[in-house]
Amino acid sequence: MKFLALIGIVALIWLVGLFAFAERVRSLAPADEPERADAIVALTGPSAERVNAAIRLLEQDKGDRVLISGVNPEVRRQELRELTPGSNRLFNCCVDLGFEAETTTGNAAEIAAWARSKGYDSLIVVTSDYHMPRSLMEIRSAAPGVELTPYAVETPSLDDSRWWRAAVTARRMTLEYMKYLAVMVRVTLDRITGEGADADAPAEAPEAAAS
């Protein structure tokens, strides 16, 4: 009986956490106008809107450069440039591409290496609203001491306060929440065991923009 009660308590805590996570996600977009940072980073995703948002911030002089992290190795610079018409000059001079990352953990490592190589202490992070909490946690773990400002791209389907009533949105939110919890456990264990990212470890920087 006590075991069943414990299971019930854990399930209730998990459920409350899920709805708190969902409210946090929904509060991230539309994003507030960010203060200027040293640079801007965009984590690639299912649409081009993350890249477009990062380039728009660059056009507004919100940072010196942009890193697009997690670019498919088969995608050419020209193809990405075509996603942001009218920004060829900025794209040519001030956009770097990272091809190594295949996961959010990889994005964080790629971003940390790039920030170290450039000497950046503050970054605007661009990704989807549902992906932002986990991305920030990963990047903070990989690049401790770097100031991060979230700039979330809105996912329209998650804007509904009753997201849990639709199978697609409920699944997306629940899956992201579980991933977030897994990262939180891993990061906490890393801190306890002292196995966090070594900020001084050398790493290969992403591809620089063509001059």
Side-chain angles (χ1 to χ4, degrees):
M1 206 61 164
K2 290 182 178 179
F3 178 73
L4 291 177
L6 178 61
I7 293 296
I9 292 171
V10 170
L12 180 60
I13 292 172
W14 181 90
L15 188 61
V16 170
L18 171 60
F19 276 83
F21 176 81
E23 282 305 303
R24 180 183 175 189
V25 166
R26 294 179 61 247
S27 72
L28 288 169
D32 294 332
E33 185 74 10
E35 296 292 329
R36 195 182 193 281
D38 290 338
I40 304 153
V41 295
L43 288 73
T44 54
S47 75
E49 185 53 34
R50 299 180 186 182
V51 173
N52 287 336
I55 299 300
R56 286 197 299 269
L57 291 173
L58 183 64
E59 290 173 336
Q60 296 166 15
D61 193 34
K62 295 297 184 179
D64 292 339
R65 298 187 72 81
V66 165
L67 168 67
I68 303 174
S69 175
V71 179
N72 188 318
E74 296 180 3
V75 174
R76 295 174 299 173
R77 174 177 286 274
Q78 178 62 29
E79 293 177 90
L80 281 176
R81 187 162 48 216
E82 289 172 355
L83 296 176
T84 55
S87 301
N88 284 347
R89 181 183 60 81
L90 283 174
F91 204 101
N92 288 338
C93 79
C94 307
V95 176
D96 298 328
L97 306 182
F99 293 99
E100 298 299 319
E102 297 181 354
T103 64
T104 305
T105 303
N107 288 136
E110 193 165 65
I111 289 166
W114 183 75
R116 285 196 301 270
S117 71
K118 301 293 186 184
Y120 293 148
D121 296 318
S122 60
L123 301 172
I124 297 173
V125 179
V126 181
T127 190
S128 297
D129 47 10
Y130 67 88
H131 190 228
M132 185 64 76
R134 181 160 58 101
S135 299
L136 292 177
M137 190 183 301
E138 290 276 26
I139 298 169
R140 286 189 178 115
S141 177
V146 175
E147 181 183 350
L148 304 178
T149 300
Y151 189 83
V153 174
E154 186 174 12
T155 305
S157 62
L158 298 181
D159 190 46
D160 188 345
S161 61
R162 296 189 176 185
W163 55 268
W164 44 272
R165 298 186 67 175
V168 173
T169 53
R171 182 180 181 279
R172 169 171 281 182
M173 196 73 83
T174 301
L175 181 60
E176 188 59 34
Y177 176 58
M178 294 301 293
K179 291 179 179 179
Y180 175 81
L181 290 179
V183 172
M184 184 168 62
V185 170
R186 194 200 76 224
V187 169
T188 300
L189 289 176
D190 284 348
R191 289 173 181 168
I192 292 172
T193 60
E195 295 181 1
D198 182 357
D200 296 323
E204 185 176 346
E207 176 191 304
S211 57

